[in-house]
């Protein structure tokens, strides 16, 4: 199973594409304003694991050869995703992102908001200047869904009476829509039939659902990842393990948990109590089961395509999202 943690096959299959993508992405972010250019270089240097471009390129390879449109699709995904992260850090007043200082920590909120807007406009122009209208439509729809998902989460967090189906609507918008659009945009650059593009979109959405539930589970310290647990509780985020617990514990425990999440979410001992109750109620096991169900639904869609090295690499990437330990 260890191979899933480092995405060996995916990286091998995409070796050329990922190194060429670096140049495309750097080019897409260029600015004639010295301050902006400095910030863009800082962003390029601290890119993450490149999971999203990998989904774009592998989805493209399912339908044919990676081409200029595929590279633009991957750049658009990264530009728009980076824009949302920069804005998120401002909204959350976060000083760190992936172990580095966030843009707002180094250059203050006003500049960070403008940088996010700049990235957004660069992405839109990259597509419009090259007539990639279909890909732009796919990604713009995803950004709309992400905003709706975030707002729905904020609205529901106030009442703390989240139902499981509302939680799925939230994560479908705020997380799964972007991964779905990565796969659809990649497929759109090589497939000629709408059916295959839609199939890849559904595939990406299921992977995204599993991905977010995995992130939820990290908050309960199911693995030692050197990351503080209980962060979601401190931020009053209702995640699947907690929702399951609130729906299955006795009335007095439920009242106590809700009170802690609403009023005592910075008290380490109280947060620890909530984490323990979630474990006791079977919230971890339930969320893990649901995560694997979404993963298996994604693989079922993937298996409708012929077996190739590309499909195997995509399967490896899917399994990485649920087997990763950070």
């Amino acid at each position: 199973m260890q191979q899933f943690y480092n995405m060996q096959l995916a990286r091998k299959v995409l070796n050329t594409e990922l190194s060429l993508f670096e140049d495309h992405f750097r080019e897409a972010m260029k600015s004639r304003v010295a301050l902006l250019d400095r910030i863009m270089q800082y962003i390029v240097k601290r890119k993450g694991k490149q999971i999203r471009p990998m989904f774009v390129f592998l989805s493209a390879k399912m339908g044919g050869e990676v081409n200029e449109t595929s590279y633009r699709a991957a750049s658009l995904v990264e530009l728009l995703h980076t824009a949302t992260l920069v804005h998120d850090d401002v909204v959350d007043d976060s000083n760190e992102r992936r172990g580095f200082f966030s843009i707002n920590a180094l250059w203050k909120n006003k500049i960070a908001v403008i940088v996010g807007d700049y990235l957004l406009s660069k992405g839109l122009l990259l597509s419009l200047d090259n007539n990639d209208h279909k890909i732009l439509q796919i990604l713009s729809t995803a950004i709309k869904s992400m905003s709706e998902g975030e707002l729905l989460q904020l609205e529901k967090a106030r009442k703390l009476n989240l139902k499981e189906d509302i939680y799925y609507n939230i994560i479908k918008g705020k997380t799964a829509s972007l991964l779905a659009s990565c796969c659809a945009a990649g497929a759109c650059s090589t497939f000629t039939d709408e059916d295959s593009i839609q199939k890849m979109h559904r595939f990406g959405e299921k992977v995204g659902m599993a991905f977010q539930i995995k992130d939820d589970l990290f908050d309960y310290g199911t693995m030692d990842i050197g990351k503080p647990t209980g962060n979601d509780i401190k931020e009053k985020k209702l995640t699947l393990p907690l929702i399951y617990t609130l729906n299955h514990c006795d009335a007095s425990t439920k009242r106590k948990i809700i009170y802690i999440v609403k009023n005592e979410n910075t008290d380490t001992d109280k947060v620890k109590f909530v984490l323990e109750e979630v474990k006791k109620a079977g919230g971890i096991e339930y969320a893990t089961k649901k995560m694997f169900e979404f993963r298996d639904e994604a693989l079922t869609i993937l298996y409708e395509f012929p077996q190739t090295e590309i499909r195997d690499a995509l399967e490896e990437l899917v399994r990485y999202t649920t087997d990763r330990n950070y």
Side-chain angles (χ1 to χ4, degrees):
M1 292 296 275
Q2 191 56 39
Q3 72 199 53
F4 297 132
Y5 293 148
N6 50 29
M7 303 174 279
Q8 275 176 344
L9 180 59
R11 290 200 183 281
K12 187 187 92 162
V13 164
L14 295 176
N15 189 30
T16 308
E17 286 79 7
L18 287 175
S19 81
L20 284 173
F21 172 66
E22 294 275 327
D23 299 331
H24 279 80
F25 188 53
R26 200 172 277 111
E27 192 59 36
M29 293 182 92
K30 262 197 183 148
S31 160
R32 285 196 296 268
V33 178
L35 172 63
L36 254 177
D37 213 37
R38 203 156 68 243
I39 296 171
M40 293 303 113
Q41 283 168 15
Y42 179 73
I43 289 172
V44 168
K45 268 191 210 135
R46 55 191 198 101
K47 273 204 321 303
K49 296 185 286 283
Q50 292 192 303
I51 286 178
R52 286 164 193 85
M54 287 164 91
F55 271 110
V56 174
F57 291 132
L58 286 172
S59 299
K61 276 178 173 275
M62 292 284 280
E65 287 299 310
V66 164
N67 52 46
E68 284 302 310
T69 309
S70 316
Y71 283 111
R72 286 196 300 271
S75 293
L76 175 61
V77 165
E78 283 296 85
L79 284 165
L80 297 187
H81 180 237
T82 307
T84 63
L85 294 183
V86 171
H87 282 164
D88 279 353
D89 286 341
V90 173
V91 171
D92 298 338
D93 202 15
S94 176
N95 290 326
E96 253 191 44
R97 168 71 62 181
R98 294 178 187 138
F100 292 89
F101 282 118
S102 59
I103 303 300
N104 50 300
L106 291 172
W107 286 282
K108 304 290 177 256
N109 284 351
K110 191 173 182 179
I111 287 177
V113 170
I114 295 167
V115 164
D117 293 345
Y118 173 77
L119 289 165
L120 202 56
S121 62
K122 284 291 269 188
L124 302 179
L125 286 168
L126 178 67
S127 295
L128 289 171
D129 290 348
N130 291 283
N131 294 318
D132 297 335
H133 296 129
K134 173 74 177 160
I135 288 169
L136 182 56
Q137 185 191 23
I138 290 168
L139 264 303
S140 299
T141 305
I143 299 294
K144 176 180 83 83
S145 297
M146 286 165 75
S147 305
E148 287 170 346
E150 290 285 358
L151 286 168
L152 181 60
Q153 183 173 51
L154 287 168
E155 181 197 338
K156 295 298 176 185
R158 287 179 188 159
K159 293 177 185 155
L160 288 193
N161 59 354
L162 209 53
K163 293 187 175 71
E164 207 171 304
D165 60 337
I166 293 171
Y167 165 80
Y168 292 134
N169 281 339
I170 288 170
I171 68 168
K172 189 186 278 190
K174 64 173 235 176
T175 304
S177 62
L178 187 62
L179 262 184
S181 70
C182 288
C183 298
C188 193
S189 70
T190 54
F191 280 101
T192 49
D193 64 305
E194 189 58 35
D195 272 1
S196 295
I197 297 167
Q198 284 305 317
K199 205 181 280 186
M200 291 307 293
H201 187 277
R202 285 198 314 276
F203 159 77
E205 187 174 85
K206 300 292 184 188
V207 180
M209 300 292 278
F211 188 95
Q212 183 56 54
I213 296 172
K214 180 67 173 183
D215 265 8
D216 289 357
L217 286 164
F218 283 145
D219 203 53
Y220 290 89
T222 49
M223 284 177 178
D224 180 22
I225 55 165
K227 190 173 149 188
T229 55
N231 266 359
D232 289 337
I233 293 165
K234 290 185 185 98
E235 291 172 20
K236 300 186 189 180
K237 279 184 191 162
L238 281 177
T239 56
L240 189 55
L242 185 57
I243 291 164
Y244 178 86
T245 304
L246 289 173
N247 290 330
H248 290 83
C249 63
D250 61 70
S252 70
T253 307
K254 183 175 181 173
R255 273 196 306 273
K256 192 171 177 184
I257 290 173
I258 287 174
Y259 187 80
I260 291 169
V261 174
K262 275 187 171 175
N263 307 297
E264 301 175 324
N265 51 36
T266 53
D267 183 323
T268 311
D269 288 337
K270 303 279 186 179
V271 170
K272 208 171 177 181
F273 167 80
V274 176
L275 297 178
E276 288 306 321
E277 285 303 315
V278 168
K279 285 172 189 167
K280 226 190 288 178
I284 309 290
E285 288 90 341
Y286 181 77
T288 304
K289 179 172 79 82
K290 282 291 173 187
M291 174 185 73
F292 285 132
E293 280 175 20
F294 281 115
R295 180 201 67 186
D296 292 344
E297 284 173 26
L299 292 175
T300 300
I301 297 167
L302 186 63
Y303 293 159
E304 290 175 28
F305 292 95
Q307 195 271 322
T308 60
E309 188 180 44
I310 306 302
R311 196 189 83 174
D312 291 346
L314 257 179
E315 177 176 350
E316 178 194 72
L317 214 46
V318 173
R319 292 187 184 279
Y320 167 79
T321 63
T322 53
D323 296 348
R324 67 201 159 101
N325 49 12
Y326 60 97

